[in-house]
Amino acid sequence: MTLARQHPQPTVRCGIVPPYLLQQLGYGDTLLLDDRIRSRRADRRRGGGAGDGDGGAAAVRGAWTVHDTGGSTDLPGRAVRSAGEPASGDAAVDEAAAGITGALALFREVYDRDSYDGRGAPVSLTVHCGRDYANAFWDGTQLVFGDGDGEVFARFTKAADVLAHELAHAVTERTAGLVYQGQSGALNESVSDVFAACSEQRLLGQQAAAADWLIGAELFLPGVQARALRDMAAPGTAYDDPRLGKDPQPAHLDDYVDTTDDNGGVHINSGIPNRAFQLAAVAVGGSSWAGAGRIWYDALTGGDVRPDSDFAGFAAATVAAAGSSAAAVEEAWRQVGVRPVAGSAAPATGGAAPGGPLRTVRVRRSGGFVGRTVEAEVDLGGGDERAAALAGLVDRIDARAARPASSPMPDHFTYEFDLDGQQVRVPEQDLTDDLRAVADLVLRPDGPADA
Ligand SMILES: [Zn+2]
């Protein structure tokens, strides 16, 4: 990428954007003087509200710690840098530090939200997770980043918007709680891209009309035919590469993708609400974070968006939160084929396990931050050198006992196994050592274990 996309490293204590950026962004006028923010802050000061100024560690605003697992998957790993400490010299650690600082500043300074829980929870991050791990995710307690696969993907901390995307998953979890499946799942994904774009544009000082609206533009290694992972302004055009395939995101409800992969295509169908936000941000005008971003934040946290809200219900909540911009926001949704309907919700659609012939082991991995599906199978009766090891694993795995215990989590992979006739679907966080060994054997030899 060009220099323009490189994010300045904060040179002052946590939570404080460098003065030159404050000036460039034009803070100090409408943004920080927003009446709602000002009055809420004043209320808190007067009332000594919880989580703000009541002393102790909880009062440290913008607290975060970056950990390093050194390539293992034992979370969280060794603490290597916390808020207020100087750069470590490790690129991934320092990128994570810069990204989380910018993302926390967006929520605190623009939306008056202190950390993801609104009460100043310290943020735990881990970098260098796993070997050739091409993903990043929020696991309910912390943000986790891999170093990429070295073939297609660079380390996931390189893109500051990815840091904000993952933090926003934590915000959604603590607010509307959008279920990570089907339309509500695509909204969960979209909300993370929305605040990722807001955070990045704020760091760069870009107005909505001038922004590139790319998510994860820094993630691809040279030679990959990709501008980014997603393009909020033109979903479906972010990449077209022999290794990645073509960006599958629809830009209109007419092209909604019905699939059982990726928790119902949450990383695919998010293109529809993503484009609605981009259109609204440009129509509302000014900056994305203070304009349409404020509307989306108020909708997410205002109580109208429920865990099972669908596109129509979410759209209605944004129109209701838009005040004098209601017509512009409604028109943005109309352009992507969504008609706002207050309270509209739909049950999440489940997925059927895939079928398959006997004497084979098949593994299908979908989801992850990238939302790409990889699939491979090994014929146990053929001459494949992996057959013996796989047969041994399959013999001792009881697929019924391996059934998932937890619900889908943002940006985790979902694995579907067909183990010589035993079919099981397991989210990444519930993989047993044996199932992970099967997945590694089946998926890895044919190429990079990217996603
Ligand atoms: Zn996500």
Side-chain angles (χ1 to χ4, degrees), residues 165-166 169 180 189 192 267 369 411:
H165 175 105
E166 300 307 336
H169 276 311
Y180 205 64
E189 267 307 309
S192 274
H267 292 90
F369 183 84
D411 297 328

PDB file of all heavy atoms in Angstrom, residues 165-166 169 180 189 192 267 369 411, ligand 1:
ATOM      1  N   HIS A 165     -12.122  -4.122  13.865  1.00  0.00           N
ATOM      2  CA  HIS A 165     -13.168  -5.102  13.540  1.00  0.00           C
ATOM      3  C   HIS A 165     -13.356  -6.083  14.693  1.00  0.00           C
ATOM      4  O   HIS A 165     -14.475  -6.358  15.118  1.00  0.00           O
ATOM      5  CB  HIS A 165     -12.774  -5.841  12.251  1.00  0.00           C
ATOM      6  CG  HIS A 165     -13.694  -6.953  11.854  1.00  0.00           C
ATOM      7  ND1 HIS A 165     -14.585  -6.841  10.812  1.00  0.00           N
ATOM      8  CD2 HIS A 165     -13.858  -8.203  12.349  1.00  0.00           C
ATOM      9  CE1 HIS A 165     -15.263  -7.971  10.699  1.00  0.00           C
ATOM     10  NE2 HIS A 165     -14.842  -8.817  11.619  1.00  0.00           N
ATOM     11  N   GLU A 166     -12.254  -6.584  15.219  1.00  0.00           N
ATOM     12  CA  GLU A 166     -12.361  -7.580  16.300  1.00  0.00           C
ATOM     13  C   GLU A 166     -12.874  -6.940  17.592  1.00  0.00           C
ATOM     14  O   GLU A 166     -13.691  -7.534  18.296  1.00  0.00           O
ATOM     15  CB  GLU A 166     -11.010  -8.265  16.523  1.00  0.00           C
ATOM     16  CG  GLU A 166     -10.469  -9.003  15.300  1.00  0.00           C
ATOM     17  CD  GLU A 166     -11.441  -9.992  14.694  1.00  0.00           C
ATOM     18  OE1 GLU A 166     -12.346 -10.470  15.398  1.00  0.00           O
ATOM     19  OE2 GLU A 166     -11.328 -10.285  13.494  1.00  0.00           O
ATOM     20  N   HIS A 169     -16.568  -6.663  17.510  1.00  0.00           N
ATOM     21  CA  HIS A 169     -17.295  -7.895  17.855  1.00  0.00           C
ATOM     22  C   HIS A 169     -17.578  -7.945  19.360  1.00  0.00           C
ATOM     23  O   HIS A 169     -18.644  -8.386  19.799  1.00  0.00           O
ATOM     24  CB  HIS A 169     -16.490  -9.133  17.456  1.00  0.00           C
ATOM     25  CG  HIS A 169     -16.666  -9.525  16.020  1.00  0.00           C
ATOM     26  ND1 HIS A 169     -17.892  -9.653  15.416  1.00  0.00           N
ATOM     27  CD2 HIS A 169     -15.748  -9.829  15.066  1.00  0.00           C
ATOM     28  CE1 HIS A 169     -17.726 -10.015  14.146  1.00  0.00           C
ATOM     29  NE2 HIS A 169     -16.441 -10.121  13.911  1.00  0.00           N
ATOM     30  N   TYR A 180     -24.714 -15.065  15.788  1.00  0.00           N
ATOM     31  CA  TYR A 180     -23.734 -15.201  14.716  1.00  0.00           C
ATOM     32  C   TYR A 180     -24.154 -16.274  13.708  1.00  0.00           C
ATOM     33  O   TYR A 180     -23.473 -17.282  13.508  1.00  0.00           O
ATOM     34  CB  TYR A 180     -22.376 -15.535  15.322  1.00  0.00           C
ATOM     35  CG  TYR A 180     -21.200 -15.140  14.460  1.00  0.00           C
ATOM     36  CD1 TYR A 180     -20.944 -13.810  14.170  1.00  0.00           C
ATOM     37  CD2 TYR A 180     -20.335 -16.103  13.953  1.00  0.00           C
ATOM     38  CE1 TYR A 180     -19.872 -13.448  13.396  1.00  0.00           C
ATOM     39  CE2 TYR A 180     -19.246 -15.747  13.171  1.00  0.00           C
ATOM     40  CZ  TYR A 180     -19.025 -14.414  12.891  1.00  0.00           C
ATOM     41  OH  TYR A 180     -17.953 -14.046  12.116  1.00  0.00           O
ATOM     42  N   GLU A 189     -21.250  -9.273  11.523  1.00  0.00           N
ATOM     43  CA  GLU A 189     -20.044  -9.049  10.720  1.00  0.00           C
ATOM     44  C   GLU A 189     -19.997  -7.621  10.173  1.00  0.00           C
ATOM     45  O   GLU A 189     -18.962  -6.956  10.190  1.00  0.00           O
ATOM     46  CB  GLU A 189     -20.000 -10.032   9.553  1.00  0.00           C
ATOM     47  CG  GLU A 189     -19.218 -11.287   9.860  1.00  0.00           C
ATOM     48  CD  GLU A 189     -17.835 -10.955  10.362  1.00  0.00           C
ATOM     49  OE1 GLU A 189     -17.128 -10.168   9.708  1.00  0.00           O
ATOM     50  OE2 GLU A 189     -17.459 -11.460  11.425  1.00  0.00           O
ATOM     51  N   SER A 192     -19.022  -4.948  12.613  1.00  0.00           N
ATOM     52  CA  SER A 192     -17.575  -4.920  12.835  1.00  0.00           C
ATOM     53  C   SER A 192     -16.844  -4.220  11.695  1.00  0.00           C
ATOM     54  O   SER A 192     -15.899  -3.467  11.923  1.00  0.00           O
ATOM     55  CB  SER A 192     -17.038  -6.347  13.022  1.00  0.00           C
ATOM     56  OG  SER A 192     -17.151  -6.737  14.379  1.00  0.00           O
ATOM     57  N   HIS A 267     -19.873 -13.850   6.479  1.00  0.00           N
ATOM     58  CA  HIS A 267     -18.854 -12.973   5.886  1.00  0.00           C
ATOM     59  C   HIS A 267     -19.163 -12.647   4.430  1.00  0.00           C
ATOM     60  O   HIS A 267     -18.466 -11.853   3.814  1.00  0.00           O
ATOM     61  CB  HIS A 267     -17.470 -13.621   5.969  1.00  0.00           C
ATOM     62  CG  HIS A 267     -16.931 -13.740   7.362  1.00  0.00           C
ATOM     63  ND1 HIS A 267     -17.153 -14.843   8.148  1.00  0.00           N
ATOM     64  CD2 HIS A 267     -16.200 -12.884   8.109  1.00  0.00           C
ATOM     65  CE1 HIS A 267     -16.565 -14.671   9.320  1.00  0.00           C
ATOM     66  NE2 HIS A 267     -15.979 -13.487   9.334  1.00  0.00           N
ATOM     67  N   PHE A 369     -12.071 -15.012   9.595  1.00  0.00           N
ATOM     68  CA  PHE A 369     -12.193 -13.590   9.243  1.00  0.00           C
ATOM     69  C   PHE A 369     -12.345 -13.417   7.735  1.00  0.00           C
ATOM     70  O   PHE A 369     -13.063 -12.562   7.258  1.00  0.00           O
ATOM     71  CB  PHE A 369     -10.952 -12.840   9.746  1.00  0.00           C
ATOM     72  CG  PHE A 369     -11.014 -11.373   9.497  1.00  0.00           C
ATOM     73  CD1 PHE A 369     -11.666 -10.539  10.383  1.00  0.00           C
ATOM     74  CD2 PHE A 369     -10.443 -10.822   8.362  1.00  0.00           C
ATOM     75  CE1 PHE A 369     -11.724  -9.177  10.147  1.00  0.00           C
ATOM     76  CE2 PHE A 369     -10.506  -9.469   8.117  1.00  0.00           C
ATOM     77  CZ  PHE A 369     -11.149  -8.637   9.019  1.00  0.00           C
ATOM     78  N   ASP A 411     -15.634 -14.880  13.647  1.00  0.00           N
ATOM     79  CA  ASP A 411     -14.398 -15.058  12.891  1.00  0.00           C
ATOM     80  C   ASP A 411     -13.664 -16.357  13.189  1.00  0.00           C
ATOM     81  O   ASP A 411     -12.546 -16.552  12.721  1.00  0.00           O
ATOM     82  CB  ASP A 411     -13.440 -13.868  13.081  1.00  0.00           C
ATOM     83  CG  ASP A 411     -14.055 -12.590  12.556  1.00  0.00           C
ATOM     84  OD1 ASP A 411     -14.813 -12.686  11.582  1.00  0.00           O
ATOM     85  OD2 ASP A 411     -13.804 -11.527  13.121  1.00  0.00           O
TER      86      ASP A 411
HETATM   87 ZN    ZN B   1     -15.640 -10.660  12.087  1.00  0.00          ZN
END
